[in-house]
Amino acid sequence: MPDNAVWKAVKPYVNGGASGMMATCIIQPIDMVKVRLQLGATGSPITVAKDIIAKDGFGSLYKGLSAGLLRQATYTTARLGIFQEITAYAKKANNGQNLPLWQKAACGLTAGGLGALVGTPADLTLIRMQADSTLPMEQRRNYKGVGDAMLRIVREDGIAGLFRGGGPTVVRAMALNMGMLASNDQAKEMIEDLGFEKGSSVPVIGGSFIAGFFASACSLPFDFVKTRIQKMTPNPDGTMPYKGFGDCALQTLRKEGPLKFYTGFPTYIVR
């Protein structure tokens, strides 16, 4: 199989999707706590997790897992596969030399944006399923799963409804991937230059920690706005709380201050 041309073409996408889906099974409870903190839950992450378990049971930490897995099968498959493809192409154009940081950032931005377009419907259903129990009983959607959620969204809002919050989702993904993929490659190269063997555990783990911090710092404000837009329900008069990404960001800034965009930052880094 290593010499199979088809496998070589799809391998980056298969590896990306499979690794993302396995990671989701581990981090889903952390992601649930992160979303609840962004939507107004108070206390430490541990306190929020305890409250969720006490109110809805331990299994509620995994609410939206089907949507999370679909999101990884679409978004992560696309972004990691695209990043590896365009990075390999850029290295070839650079005579096989390591890419400068700005080129890595450009590859990350491109891969993140294109992947997010593919994954927006699954991301929307994930946020709605995770946030459902925070709504008043009469406003809850009570989706049975990701398939039911998508069918109902299309029925109620049309195909375009699946892409609500698509703008901030794409921007957030571009910021996250610029911070994560570019800094991960750069950090590994810098650690290897210190004398550590290429591909050994120190550059791999060290690069991952550094990339996680920069990815969180770059993308959390966009993630915060995205979560609020995707969760929102109509006001009593039928209007929406926010007109779009910019309106949500400005209202949050005016009413709650700039630090509000970094709500749940420690939880986001761990995630």
Side-chain angles (χ1 to χ4, degrees):
M1 184 171 287
D3 296 326
N4 187 295
V6 175
W7 171 243
K8 284 183 178 180
V10 302
K11 183 180 178 181
Y13 298 89
V14 173
N15 287 346
S19 61
M21 293 173 77
M22 286 189 287
T24 289
C25 293
I26 297 171
I27 68 166
Q28 184 71 8
I30 301 173
D31 193 60
M32 169 67 85
V33 172
K34 184 267 298 183
V35 169
R36 292 295 179 86
L37 285 167
Q38 289 179 328
L39 295 176
T42 56
S44 69
I46 294 176
T47 300
V48 172
K50 286 181 178 178
D51 289 345
I52 293 172
I53 294 170
K55 184 179 178 182
D56 301 312
F58 182 81
S60 62
L61 289 173
Y62 282 89
K63 184 174 287 186
L65 179 61
S66 60
L69 291 173
L70 179 61
R71 178 179 179 273
Q72 296 297 341
T74 52
Y75 164 63
T76 300
T77 297
R79 76 179 175 100
L80 292 184
I82 292 170
F83 180 75
Q84 291 185 41
E85 292 284 352
I86 60 178
T87 299
Y89 179 82
K91 280 188 176 180
K92 186 177 179 181
N94 202 32
N95 298 319
Q97 301 298 313
N98 288 332
L99 300 179
L101 182 59
W102 72 267
Q103 288 187 12
K104 293 172 186 172
C107 292
L109 283 168
T110 304
L114 293 174
L117 282 175
V118 177
T120 293
D123 192 68
L124 172 67
T125 57
L126 172 62
I127 294 298
R128 287 192 173 183
M129 292 172 76
Q130 289 180 321
D132 205 39
S133 60
T134 67
L135 297 170
M137 290 295 293
E138 66 277 6
Q139 294 183 18
R140 293 184 185 179
R141 299 177 174 100
N142 297 314
Y143 296 135
K144 297 174 184 176
V146 63
D148 176 56
M150 287 193 172
L151 286 173
R152 286 175 54 188
I153 291 170
V154 171
R155 236 182 352 247
E156 295 165 9
D157 303 316
I159 294 292
L162 290 172
F163 291 88
R164 174 174 290 172
T169 300
V170 169
V171 174
R172 173 251 188 201
M174 292 174 72
L176 184 145
N177 282 275
M178 181 185 69
M180 178 186 292
L181 300 179
S183 64
N184 184 50
D185 273 9
Q186 187 72 21
K188 284 194 294 187
E189 289 171 7
M190 292 174 69
I191 293 171
E192 288 163 3
D193 287 343
L194 294 175
F196 292 96
E197 183 182 352
K198 184 175 182 179
S200 65
S201 59
V202 174
V204 171
I205 295 174
S208 297
F209 274 111
I210 294 169
F213 175 83
F214 281 105
S216 299
C218 291
S219 67
L220 184 53
F222 302 106
D223 186 80
F224 179 88
V225 174
K226 173 189 74 72
T227 298
R228 285 200 165 182
I229 289 176
Q230 291 179 327
K231 177 258 182 184
M232 67 180 177
T233 56
N235 294 320
D237 61 1
T239 61
M240 287 294 184
Y242 308 113
K243 297 175 183 176
F245 174 83
D247 182 52
C248 179
L250 285 174
Q251 284 196 46
T252 302
L253 183 63
R254 276 199 305 263
K255 297 176 182 177
E256 301 170 86
L259 292 181
K260 187 66 178 178
F261 293 109
Y262 282 92
T263 298
F265 185 64
T267 308
Y268 195 59
I269 291 180
V270 173
R271 171 189 176 277

